[in-house]
Amino acid sequence: MVEKHMQQTIQKNLQLVSTAILKAAKAVGRKTENIHLVAVSKKQPRERVIALLQAGHRLYGENRVQEASERWTELRQDYPDVCLHLIGPLQTNKVKEAVALFDLIETVDRPKLAKALAAEMQKQNKILPCFVQVNTGLEEQKSGIVPADLKDFLKFCEEEGLQIKGLMCIPPQDEPAAIHFAFLQKLAQENGLKELSMGMSSDFEKAIPLGATYVRVGTKLFGERS
């Protein structure tokens, strides 16, 4: 049971974020049906997630396979139309669980993982769309394919049988996010990819004019993580 106050807060937050998406899209003549809100539910209390589900939202992003499994295996019995994206790094030993649980993998970032995913999808007879994570800021500590290797990596994924539908990035914290969003858009156009997952709570309004089709919003919807 979700408290009334919690339900109202989450409902209001969803409304505010949806309005901000609409406004950002309208300003550049984009249709909002091409922009999807991924609610980042990682480490959020169960009550807040249920409140958002009750408000009608169905697209969620999780960072870790284990946490997602614990949360969604049960919740999906009540909400079977939920769509789950993996938006955090994926270890190859978690590929089996990830393919079984998620509807889209946003963080394909190395040949070993691409190979493991393709093999597991074949085994489970379940073809999942995937995005390639691009390390636009060339940060050593961050996952992702470096832009110079993207073309070859996409070719490798295709040969393995992976369905790469788009690109995702997490810009460096100390640089203007819009530069990285524009760069990712350019890379997607050069490689004939339509989907772009970019923009989070602090900068999703900057990502929309630059072609984001998925924005990943957590704290603006749920409030600060406890």
Side-chain angles (χ1 to χ4, degrees):
M1 187 68 183
V2 178
E3 286 177 22
K4 194 179 177 187
H5 169 69
M6 171 68 72
Q7 188 64 55
Q8 288 169 339
T9 302
I10 296 287
Q11 190 117 28
K12 188 186 170 195
N13 291 349
L14 178 60
Q15 217 165 352
L16 288 169
V17 171
S18 301
T19 303
I21 290 171
L22 182 68
K23 204 173 156 187
K26 209 174 171 183
V28 290
R30 288 190 66 196
K31 292 178 178 175
T32 49
E33 54 259 40
N34 300 328
I35 302 161
H36 310 283
L37 172 61
V38 182
V40 180
S41 43
K42 65 168 187 178
K43 292 184 180 170
Q44 288 290 352
R46 178 184 164 85
E47 187 191 26
R48 293 182 194 176
V49 177
I50 291 173
L52 192 62
L53 283 163
Q54 288 178 351
H57 194 73
R58 291 294 180 269
L59 176 56
Y60 293 82
E62 289 279 353
N63 261 44
R64 294 177 183 275
V65 177
Q66 190 62 42
E67 188 190 346
S69 180
E70 286 165 11
R71 187 197 303 284
W72 291 104
T73 303
E74 188 189 341
L75 279 177
R76 266 186 160 167
Q77 290 170 12
D78 295 325
Y79 301 95
D81 55 342
V82 157
C83 181
L84 274 189
H85 285 205
L86 179 65
I87 58 170
L90 178 58
Q91 296 167 320
T92 48
N93 64 348
K94 296 281 183 191
V95 160
K96 186 180 177 181
E97 286 171 82
V99 170
L101 182 65
F102 289 95
D103 300 290
L104 191 148
I105 310 287
E106 291 200 15
T107 48
V108 180
D109 63 356
R110 58 200 187 280
K112 189 184 176 187
L113 177 61
K115 216 177 176 66
L117 278 168
E120 189 56 45
M121 285 180 201
Q122 207 169 10
K123 208 179 280 182
Q124 293 189 30
N125 197 20
K126 185 183 179 188
I127 304 302
L128 296 186
C130 297
F131 295 169
V132 168
Q133 182 173 351
V134 182
N135 187 348
T136 56
L138 303 175
E139 296 173 277
E140 281 180 26
Q141 78 285 8
K142 202 170 272 178
S143 306
I145 292 290
V146 297
D149 295 342
L150 180 62
K151 207 174 198 64
D152 287 344
F153 183 64
L154 287 170
K155 192 169 182 282
F156 176 82
C157 290
E158 193 185 349
E159 286 165 359
E160 287 298 318
L162 273 193
Q163 284 192 11
I164 303 294
K165 299 289 188 186
L167 305 176
M168 83 88 87
C169 76
I170 304 166
Q173 284 183 318
D174 55 354
E175 291 179 26
I179 294 169
H180 294 271
F181 298 155
F183 184 37
L184 198 72
Q185 183 183 39
K186 180 175 172 278
L187 291 171
Q189 286 168 347
E190 285 171 359
N191 291 283
L193 295 167
K194 286 194 168 71
E195 306 293 350
L196 285 170
S197 173
M198 56 191 197
M200 297 188 275
S201 282
S202 60
D203 53 25
F204 70 90
E205 287 152 288
K206 293 173 188 162
I208 289 166
L210 294 164
T213 56
Y214 290 86
V215 291
R216 310 181 301 272
V217 179
T219 50
K220 279 255 168 87
L221 284 171
F222 296 109
E224 292 298 330
R225 290 184 194 95
S226 48

